[in-house]
Amino acid sequence: MSELYSVRMRAAQGGPHENGGHHISGAERIVKLEEVGSIAQSLAERALHHSKGTADFINITVDLIPSNEITYIDCLQVEEHRANTIVEAHELAIELLQGPHITEVAIQNAINFLKGLDSSMRGAMLVDATTGKRIDEGKRGVRVSHMDSFDSESLGDNDHMREALVLASKVQSADGIVGELCWSDDPDYTVGYVACNGVYHRIPNMKELGSDIGGRVFFVQSDIDSKSVIEYLEKTPVLVQR
Ligand code: WAQ
Ligand code: MG
């Protein structure tokens, strides 16, 4: 099999992220050598035509992944739900997530943490699934990276959903993570999801149309070694298969 490369893009407005630039877009793929050029180009195009604004800083990083370092995981099952209002959507999210591993308090806190953000974070919050306390440090959050789908195109032409399903599948495959709550920071995208027990539950109307604040919460068991979970989420190359 030919070698695989990780291709990652991050884009901001007002300078690089590390100098205080406002995050516009980020995306990544794992592709064969001969696809690296065209994928890098399409990621750059995306950063330049984004509903959050035009990027003035785009960073594209490419690196080789030795094929013996790749972990293969299964894709989550997808279930579609209905909700007519934000209140209904959040009630449904609570109903779907709560169970033996996640308390109602933890979910309610997570929703309040996301609703309380005054700007979007780059990564996800970690919340204790029992106590509902936030356990990650700093403002950046945990940034899941180095993942793609084995047959990306077959996951459909909705970029938001395809990328979210890949990310959520990696997140749920981590030892000690028992659920996820997400809605987008793209002003025109109000569909969100919760993931737990092997299922990706798509829920409409998770946030106000026009809001550029979104986020993610990963629910973790109290006794996890958060360092190794974060290492897996940020660094281990994962390909999702169906
Ligand atoms: N790792 C951790 N957190 C991330 C990452 C990442 N790689 N990328 C984004 N986030 C966080 C960050 O706080 C963003 O503000 C927030 O999630 C939303 O990111 O099936 O598009 O990329 O149609 O705007 C859900 C799809 C789409 C529902 C979610 O998220 C469907 C989406 P966005
Ligand atoms: Mg976004």
Side-chain angles (χ1 to χ4, degrees), residues 23-26 50 52 160 184-186:
H23 179 67
I24 295 285
S25 163
H50 198 278
K52 286 171 75 184
H160 280 101
S184 179
D185 55 22
D186 296 18

Side-chain angles (χ1 to χ4, degrees), residues 11-76:
Q13 199 174 55
H17 301 86
E18 52 275 27
N19 297 349
H22 173 63
H23 179 67
I24 295 285
S25 163
E28 64 176 279
R29 299 289 307 275
I30 292 175
V31 297
K32 297 195 185 91
L33 169 68
E34 51 277 20
E35 294 169 291
V36 169
S38 62
I39 293 296
Q41 179 171 15
S42 72
L43 292 175
E45 291 293 336
R46 244 173 91 163
L48 292 169
H49 305 281
H50 198 278
S51 61
K52 286 171 75 184
T54 305
D56 54 33
F57 169 84
I58 303 172
N59 176 301
I60 293 178
T61 307
V62 179
D63 44 27
L64 176 72
I65 306 173
S67 52
N68 62 348
E69 281 181 14
I70 295 183
T71 302
Y72 292 85
I73 64 165
D74 288 329
C75 191
L76 297 174

Side-chain angles (χ1 to χ4, degrees), residues 169-221:
S169 296
K170 180 174 184 186
V171 170
Q172 291 306 299
S173 76
D175 265 344
I177 295 191
V178 288
E180 180 184 352
L181 165 70
C182 165
W183 58 81
S184 179
D185 55 22
D186 296 18
D188 57 2
Y189 207 82
T190 60
V191 183
Y193 68 88
V194 302
C196 57
N197 304 317
V199 182
Y200 176 97
H201 299 276
R202 293 189 82 200
I203 307 176
N205 293 309
M206 284 287 263
K207 68 160 202 188
E208 221 83 58
L209 187 66
S211 159
D212 67 353
I213 301 193
R216 283 184 153 91
V217 172
F218 302 157
F219 295 95
V220 301
Q221 288 174 331

Side-chain angles (χ1 to χ4, degrees), residues 84-91 115 204-209:
N84 293 313
T85 62
I86 296 173
V87 171
E88 246 180 71
H90 291 180
E91 276 169 5
K115 286 191 356 197
N205 293 309
M206 284 287 263
K207 68 160 202 188
E208 221 83 58
L209 187 66

